Amino acid sequence: MTGPARPGSHGPGPDGLDSPAGRYRMLRLIRGFEELALDLVKSGEIAGGIHPYIGQEAVAVGVCAALRPQDRITSTHRGHGHVLARGAAPDRLLAELLGRTGGLNRGRGGSMHAADFSLGILGANGMVGAGGPIAVGAAWSARQADEDRVAVAFFGDGALNQGVLLESFNLAAMWRLPVLFVCENNGYATTLPAATSVAGGATGRAAAFGIPAVEVDGMDTEAVRAAAAEAVERASSGGGPGFVECRTYRFEGHHTMERLMKLHYRTPQEIADWRSLDPLPRAAALLPPGLAAQLDASVAEQLDAAREFALASEQPDPAGALDHLYADGLRPRAGART
Ligand SMILES: Cc1ncc(C[n+]2csc(CCOP(=O)(O)OP(=O)(O)O)c2C)c(N)n1
Ligand SMILES: [Mg+2]
């Protein structure tokens, strides 16, 4: 569901994602957005918590940099990075996380169901693996309409064990649909290591369906962009689906609740090793001296404005709790339990 246009600053900044500077700025925007959201969870302003994307930014930015305006994406429970990289305004996404009426979806989707169809964002998704069939449906509808649109499904290593995702691989391959499957292998599904739960490996799953698959360094924005661009080009010219496995890592816990629990499934050394591969300094190293600091300052300003906009946005009226649940013209039957 998309709301009418509302005030709010636009997401990607003047450069979009076409230049190394634009991509660095987006990495910083996602990182800063997540840090701000973590603060707002701690202060109780965001109810229920979030799944932070910190550490994985290069995947969202690299893939979205390879897309054209007409392409579409589906996302996951850890979706803020995808939604921002595809161009959603950070102030409206933040208002969405806060459940406010100025949110991307009037505050009714929240962190795990933010969407903006006008930007081709078919939605974050709280159901692991569920973005796969939605992307396949979007690709099929583009085919039916004779439109050149690629659909990207982002998903985690945990989704590789969801039957619905395997069914999506099958249909996409059988019908040679323009889909790009992007597996963000961050090593864990909650606390379950991928190494002990994904038989045959991620690219092996794709290979079983005859889908060309590559594995890339998911901490390197440029490597992700190159792999995604190749797959998008092939899909758009009738070559069928592609699969990119991005080896990445989340620096924070699975969910913000994790800090309240005493879980020991990752060693401090493992976390430190991955932190040393942080995608932000790697992207900053491609820029002329001084530019990264300037971009950091402009992102900080944008996020201050986003915080102000989101916190000033109105809380929804409880009397409207059932609004937008049904398509126009379809109402619950008189006497039905609601
Ligand atoms: C169908 C389904 N089963 C279980 C869950 C509970 N759950 C939420 S996130 C998650 C782990 C997902 O791991 P992965 O796909 O690797 O993504 P990551 O959290 O690592 O980004 C699980 C099991 C869910 N949301 N949906
Ligand atoms: Mg995972």
Side-chain angles (χ1 to χ4, degrees):
M1 58 181 167
T2 46
R6 288 194 175 80
S9 55
H10 193 63
D15 276 347
L17 302 180
D18 288 341
S19 67
R23 294 192 280 280
Y24 172 78
R25 190 180 189 285
M26 182 55 75
L27 294 167
R28 174 59 70 197
L29 181 70
I30 297 171
R31 176 73 52 95
F33 182 95
E34 292 297 62
E35 288 167 351
L36 173 55
L38 285 176
D39 282 349
L40 292 170
V41 170
K42 279 184 200 146
S43 67
E45 298 277 4
I46 292 177
I50 60 163
H51 300 84
Y53 194 63
I54 294 175
Q56 299 184 205
E57 297 90 344
V59 179
V61 176
V63 171
C64 289
L67 300 183
R68 296 103 22 107
Q70 71 268 31
D71 296 330
R72 294 167 169 150
I73 66 165
T74 65
S75 173
T76 68
H77 55 286
R78 200 178 301 289
H80 310 163
H82 311 133
V83 173
L84 289 172
R86 193 60 189 144
D91 46 9
R92 296 205 42 214
L93 180 60
L94 194 63
E96 187 61 35
L97 269 51
L98 286 154
R100 305 296 176 103
T101 54
L104 272 185
N105 310 106
R106 304 185 179 96
R108 286 152 193 272
S111 165
M112 284 194 279
H113 293 277
D116 187 339
F117 292 178
S118 71
L119 294 168
I121 303 166
L122 303 186
N125 205 310
M127 280 171 282
V128 170
I134 296 171
V136 167
W140 181 79
S141 78
R143 159 82 55 80
Q144 293 300 102
D146 207 15
E147 291 170 353
D148 173 20
R149 295 175 191 263
V150 172
V152 176
F154 289 100
F155 53 89
D157 45 284
L160 291 167
N161 290 323
Q162 290 297 112
V164 73
L165 191 68
L166 302 173
E167 293 173 39
S168 304
F169 295 167
N170 187 54
L171 271 190
M174 288 306 297
W175 295 349
R176 287 178 79 78
L177 294 174
V179 187
L180 171 54
F181 295 106
V182 177
C183 177
E184 297 192 57
N185 184 352
N186 62 9
Y188 296 90
T190 315
T191 58
L192 181 71
T196 62
S197 56
V198 183
T203 52
R205 296 283 168 96
F209 294 92
I211 299 176
V214 288
E215 183 188 318
V216 292
D217 177 356
M219 308 303 270
D220 180 345
T221 311
E222 300 306 315
V224 173
R225 186 173 72 106
E230 199 181 318
V232 167
E233 164 64 29
R234 192 180 51 242
S236 127
S237 51
F243 186 107
V244 179
E245 177 188 3
C246 301
R247 302 303 293 255
T248 184
Y249 201 74
R250 57 171 161 74
F251 295 167
E252 299 290 324
H254 168 70
H255 182 269
T256 38
M257 287 295 281
E258 190 174 310
R259 71 198 151 85
L260 306 175
M261 303 165 167
K262 300 234 174 327
L263 298 175
H264 299 288
Y265 63 98
R266 313 193 288 181
T267 63
Q269 187 60 52
E270 179 182 292
I271 298 172
D273 287 348
W274 278 95
R275 275 186 181 276
S276 73
L277 303 173
D278 191 331
L280 271 75
R282 288 169 83 171
L286 303 178
L287 306 182
L291 182 54
Q294 274 176 35
L295 294 169
D296 290 354
S298 97
V299 165
E301 256 178 49
Q302 191 181 8
L303 288 173
D304 281 348
R307 185 175 193 282
E308 208 173 303
F309 169 88
L311 287 170
S313 176
E314 272 176 44
Q315 299 278 3
D317 178 357
L322 298 183
D323 292 351
H324 314 299
L325 282 184
Y326 298 91
D328 286 347
L330 290 176
R331 311 303 303 177
R333 276 174 292 128
R337 287 173 57 197
T338 52

